[in-house]
């Protein structure tokens, strides 16, 4: 039984959190995440959940309290955005390295400065090396689906890692969409109970959490985290499969949109993938063999699967809503190109950095990228490996 | 290349996940006397058994038996010299550790 609703992304995600009914949520408000936690706090006030809601004085404390709760054996969640994630920084690493399956919606927003409250992916991409699993959503429905699956993925005994559930700030979070919510009991059944191996609050089996870990063992613990990420790949696929059987929705690592016979393609994540689908449809009507790969899972990075899905293309454009200031392109581009290098593929891969600080990316902008790709195919020449889409010259 | 000393330690598949310590009260197994460059030496003839060294020692490395100070627990004494400094009758002196005495 599912329920069709027309709600904002925040309302939809707050309902996911209500259905998950975490033991503890600790959070501090930050634009554009504020409304999500505010809506959830209303569920707490109305007795719709059993959650202990911890109001803290900063995001650093929000993540610290969430880590403490999770180490105590609780199913713990928080949510953040941009500078809030920046302030959580050191504890974000501690959550991952302590192997705590915290689930955290990140309502993606430009990480200052100059100060900007609108969407880009510089916040979550900045945390890409922290050891968190990262899922990205095209719309509110996918953010909802990802949030429920994130609980299962993170808590899996072979994984035990925290999961960021990313959704584009304002674009997804504040716009009203149609979505299907599962019945409360179906969510309860799907996510099951959380049974941690260890709890700080178990007096019969006393443990120490977060001890000093120097030259002797630190490297071994990092190696374990890598192993958990490798395991996460299979778990993500299995959970997605199970979710799809239940709902008819969902993909494992990415969605392939009109990619089978495509000659030129775009790889995008987040809400821009939806814009790109409209661009692909328009171009297909004109007989252009354009396709799209929408990336859902950025960490762990599905390297081999990506190459397999894209290797028949002539040219691929990777869309990055974040900069690395390496002067060699965005974060997703670096990983995709590295994957292609191993495959000894002759697909030309180019990069488009776009939409920084909420700069609108319209269908015609995406079409212009496909036009560039057609030119590259025709000339066999790449003039600019890294391009800045929509910046004023 | 892994150093010989490190090779005897457990590998990444064998250490507890997340750096957890799964057993309480095991700090006693972690011997810290190896940090020492100076060790205390007790002159029993001068010692008045006031136990001031026992009170001041930051790591309970002063051994007291039947209300008498009998020596030091060298597995944990880090050679800080506080005992020697606080001794009112100068019964404790700090002498340099030689490599041969480390065993």
């Amino acid at each position: 039984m599912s329920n069709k609703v027309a709600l904002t992304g925040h309302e939809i995600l707050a309902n996911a959190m209500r259905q998950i009914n975490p033991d503890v949520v600790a959070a501090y408000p930050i634009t554009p995440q504020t409304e999500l936690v505010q809506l959830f706090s209303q569920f707490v006030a109305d007795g719709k959940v059993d959650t202990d809601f911890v109001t803290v004085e900063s995001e650093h404390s929000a993540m610290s309290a969430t880590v403490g709760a999770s180490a105590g054996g609780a199913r713990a969640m928080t949510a953040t955005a941009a500078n809030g994630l920046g302030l959580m920084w050191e504890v974000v690493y501690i959550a991952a390295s302590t192997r705590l399956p915290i689930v955290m919606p990140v309502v993606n927003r430009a990480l200052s400065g100059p100060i900007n409250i609108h969407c880009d992916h510089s916040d979550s991409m900045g945390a890409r090396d922290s050891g968190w699993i990262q899922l990205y959503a095209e719309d509110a429905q996918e953010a909802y689906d990802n949030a429920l699956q994130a609980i299962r993925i993170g808590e899996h005994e072979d994984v035990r890692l925290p999961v960021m559930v990313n959704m584009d700030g304002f674009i997804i979070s504040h716009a009203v969409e149609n979505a299907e919510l599962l019945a409360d009991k179906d969510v309860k059944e799907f996510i099951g109970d959380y049974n941690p191996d260890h709890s700080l609050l178990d007096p019969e089996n006393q443990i120490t959490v977060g001890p000093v870990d120097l030259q002797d063992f630190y490297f071994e613990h990092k190696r374990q985290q890598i192993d958990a990420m490798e395991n996460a790949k299979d778990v993500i696929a299995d959970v997605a499969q199970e979710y799809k059987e239940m709902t008819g929705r969902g993909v494992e690592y990415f969605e392939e949109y009109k990619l089978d016979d495509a000659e030129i393609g775009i790889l995008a994540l987040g809400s821009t993938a939806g814009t790109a689908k409209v661009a692909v449809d328009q171009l297909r009507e004109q007989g252009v063999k354009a396709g799209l790969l929408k990336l859902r899972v950025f960490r762990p990075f599905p390297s081999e699967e990506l190459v397999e899905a894209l290797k028949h293309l002539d040219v691929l454009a990777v869309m990055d809503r974040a900069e690395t200031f390496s002067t060699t392109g965005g974060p997703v581009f670096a990983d995709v190109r590295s994957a292609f290098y191993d495959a000894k593929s002759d697909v030309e891969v180019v990069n488009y950095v776009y939409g920084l600080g909420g700069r609108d990316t319209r269908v015609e902008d995406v079409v212009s990228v496909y036009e560039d790709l057609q030119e590259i195919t025709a000339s066999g020449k790449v003039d600019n490996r890294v391009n800045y889409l929509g910046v004023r010259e | 290349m892994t150093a010989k000393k490190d090779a005897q330690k457990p590998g990444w598949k064998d250490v507890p996940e997340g750096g957890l310590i799964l057993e309480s009260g095991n700090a006693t197994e972690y011997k810290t006397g190896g940090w020492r460059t100076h060790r205390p030496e007790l002159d029993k003839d001068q010692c008045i058994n006031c136990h001031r060294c026992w009170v001041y020692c930051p790591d309970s490395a002063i051994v007291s038996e039947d209300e008498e100070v009998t020596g030091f627990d060298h597995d944990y004494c880090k050679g800080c010299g506080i005992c020697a400094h606080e001794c009112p009758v100068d019964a404790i002196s700090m002498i340099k550790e030689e490599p041969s005495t480390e065993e």
Side-chain angles (χ1 to χ4, degrees):
Chain A
M1 262 289 285
S2 63
N3 181 22
K4 221 168 181 151
V5 295
L7 295 171
T8 67
H10 271 156
E11 286 168 334
I12 291 164
L13 210 58
N15 267 292
M17 288 176 74
R18 177 183 60 75
Q19 294 177 318
I20 291 165
N21 191 10
D23 299 311
V24 176
V25 168
Y28 188 82
I30 180 157
T31 303
Q33 161 264 42
T34 306
E35 199 185 46
L36 170 60
V37 177
Q38 188 180 312
L39 288 161
F40 182 75
S41 71
Q42 190 68 53
F43 289 135
V44 177
D46 293 345
K48 298 274 167 70
V49 288
D50 309 316
T51 307
D52 280 326
F53 190 82
V54 189
T55 51
V56 283
E57 88 297 353
S58 77
E59 286 85 353
H60 190 277
S61 303
M63 184 48 73
S64 298
T66 310
V67 160
S70 186
R75 191 175 253 162
M77 293 181 75
T78 180
T80 194
N83 301 43
L85 180 54
L87 189 50
M88 284 179 176
W89 190 247
E90 63 166 337
V91 199
V92 165
Y93 277 71
I94 288 164
S97 57
T98 313
R99 308 294 298 279
L100 301 173
I102 293 161
V103 171
M104 174 166 73
V106 174
V107 190
N108 294 112
R109 163 189 153 186
L111 187 52
S112 304
I115 197 152
N116 179 307
I117 59 165
H118 290 287
C119 175
D120 70 31
H121 296 155
S122 50
D123 51 2
S124 57
M125 286 294 164
R128 68 176 182 173
D129 301 340
S130 61
W132 283 57
I133 291 167
Q134 288 196 354
L135 308 176
Y136 287 81
E138 177 189 329
D139 52 27
Q141 178 75 71
E142 282 186 1
Y144 173 85
D145 297 343
N146 284 344
L148 302 186
Q149 292 177 59
I151 300 283
R152 286 280 302 276
I153 296 163
E155 288 175 5
H156 194 283
E157 60 179 359
D158 297 339
V159 180
R160 304 267 194 236
L161 287 176
V163 189
M164 271 180 213
V165 178
N166 292 283
M167 72 169 172
D168 286 356
F170 294 106
I171 302 166
I172 298 175
S173 64
H174 284 61
V176 174
E177 284 181 37
N178 290 327
E180 262 183 44
L181 305 188
L182 297 176
D184 293 356
K185 68 169 179 40
D186 291 343
V187 173
K188 197 172 177 209
E189 198 179 323
F190 177 74
I191 63 173
D193 293 328
Y194 176 41
N195 296 304
D197 288 340
H198 308 287
S199 161
L200 200 50
L201 299 179
D202 176 4
E204 302 301 316
N205 299 288
Q206 295 171 17
I207 57 166
T208 299
V209 176
V212 67
D213 193 19
L214 303 181
Q215 304 94 320
D216 286 5
F217 290 105
Y218 184 85
F219 204 171
E220 279 68 28
H221 287 125
K222 290 294 135 182
R223 180 65 188 84
Q224 286 181 337
Q225 284 178 249
I226 296 159
D227 189 55
M229 270 292 176
E230 281 165 357
N231 295 341
K233 271 192 74 177
D234 286 342
V235 172
I236 287 166
D238 291 347
V239 171
Q241 200 53 45
E242 198 184 318
Y243 193 79
K244 194 172 182 176
E245 279 164 26
M246 182 169 66
T247 63
R249 286 192 306 271
V251 291
E252 295 177 352
Y253 310 122
F254 45 76
E255 178 187 348
E256 296 172 57
Y257 189 73
K258 304 193 177 175
L259 206 55
D260 279 352
D261 64 338
E263 289 163 0
I264 53 176
I266 281 181
L267 186 154
L269 34 75
S271 60
T272 307
T275 314
K277 283 177 183 171
V278 180
V280 169
D281 291 347
Q282 284 184 8
L283 291 162
R284 284 275 170 177
E285 277 174 29
Q286 298 161 23
V288 179
K289 291 198 167 168
L292 167 77
L293 187 142
K294 178 184 80 188
L295 190 60
R296 171 187 179 234
V297 182
F298 181 59
R299 286 290 178 271
F301 191 70
S303 191
E304 286 162 28
E305 293 82 358
L306 266 180
V307 171
E308 190 58 35
L310 296 165
K311 66 179 183 191
H312 62 284
L313 295 177
D314 295 330
V315 197
L316 171 73
V318 178
M319 306 285 284
D320 264 299
R321 203 163 191 160
E323 244 303 342
T324 60
F325 301 101
S326 63
T327 73
T328 57
V332 185
F333 179 60
D335 284 356
V336 172
R337 250 188 133 193
S338 168
F340 272 105
Y341 182 85
D342 270 349
K344 308 215 181 323
S345 153
D346 51 8
V347 180
E348 278 291 2
V349 188
V350 293
N351 189 206
Y352 285 80
V353 175
Y354 75 101
L356 299 189
R359 176 65 48 89
D360 200 14
T361 306
R362 300 158 303 169
V363 175
E364 51 264 42
D365 297 318
V366 182
V367 169
S368 79
V369 173
Y370 281 112
E371 284 167 358
D372 289 355
L373 301 187
Q374 283 177 291
E375 263 178 47
I376 293 171
T377 311
S379 68
K381 214 170 74 201
V382 175
D383 289 332
N384 292 311
R385 185 65 64 188
V386 184
N387 306 273
Y388 302 95
L389 182 66
V391 74
R392 288 186 298 277
E393 291 299 332
Chain B
M1 218 179 104
T2 314
K4 213 173 179 181
K5 193 177 75 167
D6 278 352
Q8 293 158 3
K9 293 174 184 164
W12 67 269
K13 289 175 186 165
D14 300 317
V15 295
E17 273 182 11
L20 297 184
I21 295 172
L22 302 175
E23 191 189 327
S24 61
N26 63 0
T28 52
E29 289 168 30
Y30 188 52
K31 296 186 168 53
T32 48
W35 305 354
R36 196 172 55 233
T37 56
H38 288 79
R39 67 158 67 195
E41 205 171 55
L42 178 67
D43 183 346
K44 289 202 91 165
D45 294 338
Q46 290 202 52
C47 176
I48 55 171
N49 286 308
C50 68
H51 279 76
R52 207 179 277 193
C53 56
W54 184 87
V55 170
Y56 275 96
C57 176
D59 202 341
S60 53
I62 310 289
V63 180
S64 171
E65 284 161 354
D66 301 328
E67 295 180 22
E68 266 188 38
V69 174
T70 57
F72 308 95
D73 186 344
H74 286 109
D75 282 343
Y76 300 103
C77 169
K78 296 167 190 67
C80 69
I82 292 174
C83 55
H85 185 266
E86 295 297 335
C87 179
V89 292
D90 291 335
I92 301 173
S93 49
M94 299 302 291
I95 58 166
K96 197 158 190 210
E97 282 283 353
E98 295 301 328
S100 59
T101 63
E102 295 235 333
E103 291 160 21

